[in-house]
DNA sequence: TTTAATTGTAAAATATATTGAACACTTGGC
DNA sequence: GCCAAGTGTTCAATATATTTTACAATTAAA
């Protein structure tokens, strides 16, 4: 029988429903009996780790995912261009994706740098990681004491602790999509 | 008996050792028999979620912590196009940024979908958050039971555990830069 | 050495998870 | 109406996890 604090049965059931699977269909995919699934979802048994793992592989999903899952309120998913929030006051443009969401784990930006534009000397460093892809033009990126020019299709991945800055030294507009976690704004 | 992929027994044992606890002492704290602990550590049984939870409370530690535990090193920097790792085997292209880093918190992809291409019919779901910007063309995105077509410059931001999929139903190539945390690959 | 208190392990007994085969109920043809 | 295929549930049988009790090996103190 179960007493595990978190409602494993309910959680499994809701995941199964999300994927539009019947107990029997999940049973086939996971190699666990449909009756077992029924009992687990009713919290009449506490599944072995093996069984739970098999079941999750039917989605697929990992044990980490399962135990990390918390019910979250549904929030806006799609964003038109005018729904992206402009963060920059200079000539450059920093459009934030998902600004309306309360507790983002991710800071995704669509950045546009005109010729001569740049991020300023961003000496603020914070815990986390940051990465991006150049989607148009080229840009000079300084990371620590390294300096390099990245062209369309190239990318970077850095620890946010290391001071970094961007400058468009070309005569073309440059666009970047970047992501960081945890978000610093 | 166990076959759970990850070595639960070894993991439990190493955690116990880290805390300088004997099987019997952990037994007292957790309310689980020492023989059970012995069997689990030898991987001769697959503990029930209940038992594992009780054991971890003896340290204390959560199930999330337990399953998240993975040893991780570090690295950095710039990536040319040919240094991005192709993850797709179909017609679409999924280029991973920073693949050489072992401990990424971020999964940034440069995705290219030819006309008719897509992410596959199997909707994938995993714990975390995911967002992206369409940088070229347009694409149809399904999130849960919502479907929408996003054009260049538009964006999305979703909880990763909501099943989602992409399909390019236009006659032009579509490019996206997406980011997710934590990385599922 | 002996004794007592540890340690991890093992076997049989017991409790529980899982299976296999039913059940009643619904849905969509025909 | 009936029938076939689907749904989730229940119960007895079986497989497995957990406990109880015991054992042998180690460590420390007398």
């Amino acid at each position: 029988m179960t007493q595990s604090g978190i409602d494993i049965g309910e959680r499994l059931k809701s995941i199964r429903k999300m994927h539009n699977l019947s107990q029997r269909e999940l049973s086939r995919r996971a190699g666990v009996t449909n009756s077992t699934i029924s009992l687990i979802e009713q919290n009449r048994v506490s599944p072995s780790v093996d069984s739970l793992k098999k079941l999750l592989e039917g989605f697929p999903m990992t044990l980490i995912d399962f135990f990390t899952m918390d019910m979250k309120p549904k929030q806006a998913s799609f964003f038109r261009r005018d729904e992206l929030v402009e963060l920059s006051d200079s000539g450059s443009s920093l459009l934030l994706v998902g600004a309306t969401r309360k507790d983002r784990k991710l800071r995704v930006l669509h950045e546009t740098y005109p010729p001569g534009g740049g991020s300023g000397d961003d000496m603020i460093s914070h815990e986390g990681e940051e990465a991006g892809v150049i989607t148009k033009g080229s840009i000079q990126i300084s990371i620590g004491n390294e300096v390099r020019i990245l062209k369309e299709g190239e990318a970077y991945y850095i620890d946010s602790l290391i001071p970094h800055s961007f400058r468009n030294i070309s005569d073309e507009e440059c666009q970047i999509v970047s992501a960081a976690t945890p978000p610093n704004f």
Side-chain angles (χ1 to χ4, degrees), chain A:
Chain A
M1 196 179 346
T2 184
Q3 51 189 30
S4 173
I6 51 180
D7 190 339
I8 289 186
E10 182 53 44
R11 186 168 293 190
L12 177 62
K13 185 171 186 176
S14 76
I15 296 172
R16 180 172 62 79
K17 295 287 190 189
M18 272 187 191
H19 289 259
N20 289 320
L21 297 180
S22 69
Q23 290 180 344
R24 277 182 169 80
E25 175 65 25
L26 176 56
S27 166
R28 271 181 298 254
R29 299 196 188 190
V32 175
T33 308
N34 62 300
S35 25
T36 299
I37 298 174
S38 176
L39 295 174
I40 293 175
E41 291 188 350
Q42 298 172 80
N43 283 322
R44 289 173 53 178
V45 296
S46 172
S48 72
V49 172
D50 272 4
S51 298
L52 184 56
K53 175 127 189 294
K54 283 192 213 161
L55 287 169
L56 296 179
E57 281 167 353
F59 293 129
M61 174 181 279
T62 70
L63 287 163
I64 303 175
D65 297 337
F66 183 81
F67 288 111
T68 308
M69 239 179 96
D70 284 344
M71 301 312 173
K72 296 173 188 169
K74 180 165 167 31
Q75 306 191 54
S77 300
F78 302 107
F79 299 89
R80 295 192 310 275
R81 228 170 293 193
D82 62 358
E83 290 171 326
L84 303 182
V85 173
E86 176 60 68
L87 297 179
S88 174
D89 49 359
S90 67
S92 307
S93 169
L94 301 175
L95 295 172
L96 177 62
V97 176
T100 56
R101 298 176 61 109
K102 296 295 181 193
D103 297 313
R104 283 178 294 111
K105 291 179 183 158
L106 220 42
R107 188 217 62 198
V108 171
L109 292 178
H110 196 186
E111 314 179 17
T112 303
Y113 298 102
S119 60
D121 289 335
D122 190 27
M123 284 310 159
I124 299 175
S125 66
H126 55 279
E127 173 59 20
E129 298 179 12
E130 190 168 337
V133 176
I134 285 73
T135 60
K136 188 178 174 192
S138 69
I139 196 155
Q140 181 190 65
I141 306 186
S142 305
I143 300 176
N145 46 15
E146 284 186 276
V147 180
R148 191 152 145 184
I149 295 180
L150 292 183
K151 304 190 302 292
E152 182 172 330
E154 301 187 315
Y156 63 92
Y157 196 124
I158 62 175
D159 294 311
S160 304
L161 289 170
I162 303 173
H164 49 282
S165 63
F166 303 80
R167 183 149 306 278
N168 184 354
I169 59 174
S170 77
D171 51 6
E172 263 191 287
E173 178 181 273
C174 175
Q175 290 194 352
I176 301 175
V177 175
S178 73
T181 185
N184 51 336
F185 48 77

